[in-house]
Amino acid sequence: MALIVQKYGGTSVGTVERISAVADRVKRYVDQGDQVVVVVSAMSGETNRLLALSSAINDQPPSRELDVLLSTGEQVTIALLSMALSTRQVPARSYLGSQVKILTDQSHTKARIKAIDSEPVLADLAMGHVAVVAGFQGVDEQGNITTLGRGGSDTTAVAIAAALNADECQIYTDVDGVYTTDPRVVDGATLLASITFEEMLEMASLGSKVLQIRAVEFAGKYQVPLRVLSSFEEGEGTLISIEKNADMEAPLVSGIAFNRDEARLVVRGVPDTPGVAYKVIGPVSDANIEVDVIVQNVAADGTTDLTFTVHRNDIQKSKTIAEVVASELNARDVAIDENICKVSLVGVGMRSHAGIASQMFKTLADVGINIELITTSEIKISVVIEEKFMELAVRSLHSAFGLDAEAS
Ligand code: ADP
Ligand code: ASP
Ligand code: MG
């Protein structure tokens, strides 16, 4: 007998038939004697539909009310799945985040989980019931409904698995595991039998939305055994594993992530004096805007350019802030570019190998792609390039690093 937390994403509960298929799978686990907690997302498209409704009414809705609205999607699926289980004679009870309860901070639309009171769920499991929990939502100390950010049901599942000390947390989705890159972009992407937490964390933070980044953080921190699998096909999926010592055997590059969520901002002609980077980046961060890649050019004529990237949604706000600072500093001007993307190679094997960066740059040069910015860490190399070259870059790198399915 095992205690298993299963999470089903939007596509997996997107129709009545699919909810029924989920109920069948849950029943199979219950029949073999396992205790099961199921976390579900809203039906696919529902969260987007709710967002569209809210922006049709108010383009800057109060975030408290937005959370009240967005949390309704998951309320529908917990009830429907519990009903589907009930028709299969599997006793089940649904829980909203506030009923579990999943206590979060007060940051509406991107709340962080602070604590989980698992007593009600444990009591249900002890009685042989399946607990069906709404993903993506929680409640703050004052009783306000909060949500955890897009893709947040993954985090709900992992956090519950950690709180219950579950034997495994299974993330069921619409692909059969974690691939070397998004299989919807590269046909030849290869399914990975396992990937380390560290690599998965980089992949998630660099744009692979198969798991929400916080879910991976939680799983690593609390050592939750985590597996990504298909809800449509049988298979072992991908195990997110603790890093093995046998680093030598790790492939140089395990995966390629990419995103087009960022935009670039250049403050041109700033005086090359101490404190300038701080004076520009400081106010941007103070406005709660996350800054990603930062590059300061070598000065010529006593002035330099300071380049950084932010989320596209924050570009206009960042520009306004940077323009104020630029005029205070007597900088020449502020330019923005929204047509960029970031492509990243990830792999723990990079740690022990030099030469990956040069192979990456050569591959891109061979297909005529200009690199605008570069950033590296121990286990990743990211380049910022023109957005229109994104797919070409990902495909070329995927082949060059031997990740294509035929090559493995
Ligand atoms: P769910 O609704 O089940 O949470 P998501 O759409 O959030 O599903 O995540 C699954 C999607 O993640 C896949 O359909 C796939 O397009 C995308 N994806 C991006 N990168 C990867 C990757 N490296 N491996 C697998 N899937 C990936
Ligand atoms: N329904 C939410 C979303 O679409 C949460 C999730 O699916 O994980 O982002
Ligand atoms: Mg998701």
Side-chain angles (χ1 to χ4, degrees):
M1 185 187 91
L3 199 172
I4 295 169
V5 177
Q6 300 186 332
K7 177 259 170 175
Y8 293 90
T11 317
S12 310
V13 292
T15 62
V16 166
E17 291 72 27
R18 287 186 172 170
I19 292 176
S20 303
V22 168
D24 289 336
R25 182 190 301 275
V26 173
K27 180 173 164 31
R28 286 207 299 279
Y29 278 85
V30 171
D31 287 348
Q32 71 187 27
D34 293 324
Q35 294 185 312
V36 188
V37 177
V38 189
V39 173
V40 284
S41 293
M43 294 168 87
S44 61
E46 178 64 5
T47 309
N48 287 341
R49 187 185 74 89
L50 295 168
L51 277 168
L53 281 178
S54 85
S55 48
I57 295 257
N58 181 339
D59 58 9
Q60 285 187 316
S63 55
R64 180 184 184 279
E65 306 317 323
L66 190 56
D67 276 351
V68 171
L69 179 70
L70 295 186
S71 67
T72 61
E74 275 73 10
Q75 181 161 353
V76 171
T77 44
I78 53 170
L80 291 177
L81 179 59
S82 302
M83 292 173 193
L85 286 166
S86 162
T87 62
R88 287 161 179 76
Q89 274 69 53
V90 177
R93 273 160 63 93
S94 64
Y95 289 91
L96 294 170
S98 56
Q99 294 172 306
V100 169
K101 91 188 196 189
I102 299 174
L103 185 70
T104 72
D105 63 17
Q106 296 171 315
S107 322
H108 285 292
T109 73
K110 46 174 186 285
R112 298 186 81 102
I113 296 175
K114 288 167 65 176
I116 293 184
D117 170 13
S118 42
E119 284 311 314
V121 168
L122 281 172
D124 259 336
L125 293 177
M127 284 191 293
H129 296 167
V130 170
V132 182
V133 178
F136 175 58
Q137 55 178 264
V139 63
D140 72 8
E141 305 263 12
Q142 279 69 48
N144 299 301
I145 294 172
T146 54
T147 65
L148 310 179
R150 298 307 304 267
S153 300
D154 297 335
T155 303
T156 307
V158 177
I160 289 182
L164 299 178
N165 204 7
D167 295 296
E168 185 162 276
C169 181
Q170 303 173 337
I171 307 286
Y172 288 93
T173 184
D174 54 5
V175 286
D176 48 7
V178 179
Y179 279 75
T180 46
T181 194
D182 190 339
R184 297 190 198 286
V185 172
V186 177
D187 286 339
T190 310
L191 179 65
L192 297 167
S194 73
I195 183 169
T196 68
F197 278 112
E198 222 183 342
E199 288 170 325
M200 195 62 238
L201 202 55
E202 289 285 5
M203 291 281 279
S205 70
L206 295 167
S208 301
K209 68 165 186 171
V210 62
L211 282 175
Q212 199 198 34
I213 176 165
R214 295 244 196 88
V216 189
E217 277 169 4
F218 242 104
K221 187 165 168 197
Y222 296 100
Q223 307 263 301
V224 177
L226 185 61
R227 193 178 280 281
V228 177
L229 345 86
S230 164
S231 62
F232 306 126
E233 288 162 38
E234 295 304 315
E236 293 293 297
T238 304
L239 181 69
I240 320 297
S241 63
I242 310 292
E243 190 177 337
K244 299 163 270 306
N245 289 332
D247 230 3
M248 300 303 290
E249 285 172 37
L252 301 184
V253 174
S254 299
I256 303 180
F258 49 85
N259 81 58
R260 27 180 148 220
D261 300 337
E262 292 180 34
R264 185 183 54 177
L265 202 142
V266 190
V267 186
R268 294 191 287 208
V270 280
D272 185 33
T273 51
V276 163
Y278 167 69
K279 281 187 191 129
V280 177
I281 303 296
V284 176
S285 309
D286 290 347
N288 235 335
I289 295 171
E290 220 171 288
V291 177
D292 185 24
V293 185
I294 307 176
V295 175
Q296 186 176 327
N297 290 355
V298 176
D301 314 328
T303 69
T304 179
D305 292 346
L306 187 74
T307 305
F308 58 95
T309 64
V310 296
H311 196 282
R312 273 188 206 179
N313 295 343
D314 292 326
I315 189 68
Q316 290 306 336
K317 206 168 150 198
S318 307
K319 183 169 184 244
T320 311
I321 296 171
E323 276 168 348
V324 174
V325 184
S327 80
E328 283 166 13
L329 291 173
N330 268 324
R332 196 163 72 246
D333 61 8
V334 176
I336 58 171
D337 183 354
E338 298 187 66
N339 299 313
I340 58 160
C341 69
K342 190 169 72 175
V343 176
S344 311
L345 302 184
V346 174
V348 290
M350 282 185 201
R351 242 187 223 135
S352 42
H353 286 84
I356 297 190
S358 65
Q359 192 183 345
M360 180 185 200
F361 304 157
K362 178 172 188 312
T363 305
L364 296 175
D366 286 349
V367 289
I369 298 175
N370 185 43
I371 300 171
E372 302 183 9
L373 299 170
I374 302 166
T375 146
T376 65
S377 79
E378 240 197 335
I379 66 160
K380 73 120 202 276
I381 305 171
S382 303
V383 294
V384 171
I385 59 173
E386 250 186 280
E387 184 182 359
K388 66 178 183 205
F389 293 129
M390 192 183 84
E391 293 195 8
L392 175 63
V394 176
R395 288 209 185 93
S396 310
L397 292 166
H398 200 266
S399 300
F401 284 92
L403 300 174
D404 288 348
E406 310 80 69
S408 61

